[in-house]
Amino acid sequence: MDTQFSNVLSSIRPINTDESSSLSSNTNEEEYTNQTGTGIFSTNHSNGAGEHFDEDDEEEEITPAELIEKLQQCWLNEKFSPELLEHKTPVVECIIEQIKHMENNIRSAKKGDFRIAIHKLELDRIKYMLYSYLRIRIKKIEQFASSILEEDLRRHSNTRSKLSAEEFAYASEYLKNVRAHLTASVLEHLPSNLQDLNEAVTMPRPDVDKFVFLKAMDSIKGILIDDMTNDGRNEIIDMDKEDLYIMRYNPIKNYVNSGEVQLI
């Protein structure tokens, strides 16, 4: 798993910046925070098949604190969501660049500066969230490779893929190897009428009806909660900003992707 994670992480290209900074003994905490720069990422990037949308490029400039908050939101959503969410490659790229800035600051600091230990702790915290986020995505890709690639194949050309280009290549190769292994170790030894690998039945799929805890980041009106008993007793609810809820994931999954709902 560590090798697979390293391959995915190393294939992500960090954003190039001209910013450089150092942590000196006469620099106060606010100056140090400002020196780390701001993250800039484009909301228009390639999908899993390497294609680009026809929309105009949009760039969003955020502070380091806002960038780390975005990473934490992505991490928690991915951690508690039963399915693979849309990839956040721009956030990951900016975080990698931010980590490089912080490491440069620590290396250039004078020995004995008491702030070094504090900044190292913060750096370790950011790295933990980033690594955990990527490992969770890899685990889901391996667990649900068949259904993820099937969904990616069926999606509309104007719909973003859940997979980055690197993840798409990894998922395709992983599923190919799983199929080859199952064929060689099991299917070839069965009668011919039992050698059909029905992936719709045999391969696991995410349980989107799983109950999740969530926080409404904004007021949301008219959420349809369908009745799982199929007796027509559907319910429409409203969510108030900052309120906490527990409900099935499926009715609110689109709000998770849009950022209106935060899984907790």
Side-chain angles (χ1 to χ4, degrees):
M1 178 64 72
D2 289 339
T3 303
Q4 296 162 351
F5 164 72
S6 300
N7 292 337
V8 174
L9 180 59
S10 62
S11 63
I12 299 177
R13 179 182 57 82
I15 295 176
N16 294 323
T17 64
D18 297 326
E19 302 174 20
S20 61
S21 56
S22 61
L23 175 61
S24 61
S25 59
N26 60 355
T27 303
N28 60 37
E29 198 69 24
E30 181 178 359
E31 288 174 340
Y32 169 75
T33 303
N34 292 335
Q35 283 176 348
T36 58
T38 58
I40 301 177
F41 62 87
S42 172
T43 58
N44 179 26
H45 51 83
S46 59
N47 59 15
E51 300 170 348
H52 290 270
F53 297 119
D54 294 329
E55 309 169 337
D56 295 334
D57 288 349
E58 297 180 5
E59 287 188 346
E60 178 183 355
E61 184 171 333
I62 59 178
T63 65
E66 292 171 336
L67 180 62
I68 294 171
E69 184 179 357
K70 276 186 174 290
L71 173 63
Q72 186 175 25
Q73 291 172 352
C74 296
W75 171 52
L76 291 175
N77 281 340
E78 197 68 66
K79 182 178 182 179
F80 297 117
S81 168
E83 65 172 352
L84 185 74
L85 301 178
E86 290 182 3
H87 68 96
K88 303 296 183 182
T89 302
V91 175
V92 172
E93 289 176 338
C94 280
I95 285 293
I96 292 175
E97 190 63 29
Q98 189 69 22
I99 288 174
K100 290 181 179 179
H101 279 296
M102 295 181 70
E103 289 176 336
N104 289 335
N105 290 338
I106 292 173
R107 280 195 296 267
S108 61
K110 292 184 178 180
K111 288 186 177 181
D113 194 321
F114 72 93
R115 289 169 298 177
I116 294 178
I118 298 175
H119 293 309
K120 282 184 176 180
L121 286 175
E122 178 65 8
L123 184 60
D124 289 341
R125 185 178 76 90
I126 296 171
K127 285 182 177 180
Y128 172 81
M129 286 192 294
L130 176 62
Y131 296 166
S132 177
Y133 171 73
L134 294 176
R135 288 181 185 275
I136 291 168
R137 289 188 63 83
I138 291 174
K139 181 179 179 181
K140 288 183 179 179
I141 289 172
E142 292 178 349
Q143 186 176 6
F144 307 121
S146 178
S147 62
I148 290 172
L149 291 174
E150 179 185 343
E151 180 182 349
D152 192 80
L153 184 64
R154 295 198 315 263
R155 69 183 173 85
H156 192 272
S157 58
N158 291 330
T159 304
R160 282 186 56 189
S161 172
K162 291 183 177 180
L163 300 168
S164 67
E166 295 80 13
E167 289 172 338
F168 180 84
Y170 176 78
S172 300
E173 185 66 20
Y174 178 83
L175 184 59
K176 175 184 174 182
N177 292 336
V178 168
R179 287 169 175 166
H181 172 71
L182 290 177
T183 300
S185 61
V186 179
L187 297 181
E188 287 184 352
H189 306 286
L190 296 177
S192 57
N193 62 327
L194 298 177
Q195 291 185 0
D196 179 30
L197 180 62
N198 186 352
E199 294 184 3
V201 177
T202 58
M203 295 295 186
R205 293 178 177 271
D207 180 14
V208 294
D209 287 319
K210 175 183 177 181
F211 279 79
V212 294
F213 288 93
L214 57 100
K215 178 180 181 180
M217 307 304 291
D218 202 352
S219 296
I220 307 173
K221 304 294 184 182
I223 300 177
L224 177 63
I225 308 297
D226 55 301
D227 184 15
M228 297 183 65
T229 60
N230 296 321
D231 62 1
R233 294 186 300 177
N234 296 336
E235 182 181 2
I236 296 179
I237 67 168
D238 298 332
M239 286 187 181
D240 296 325
K241 185 176 181 180
E242 302 296 328
D243 279 359
L244 305 180
Y245 301 86
I246 178 173
M247 63 177 62
R248 286 170 39 240
Y249 172 78
N250 195 40
I252 54 92
K253 64 180 181 180
N254 291 333
Y255 299 104
V256 174
N257 284 320
S258 67
E260 296 173 274
V261 163
Q262 171 73 56
L263 301 183
I264 56 177

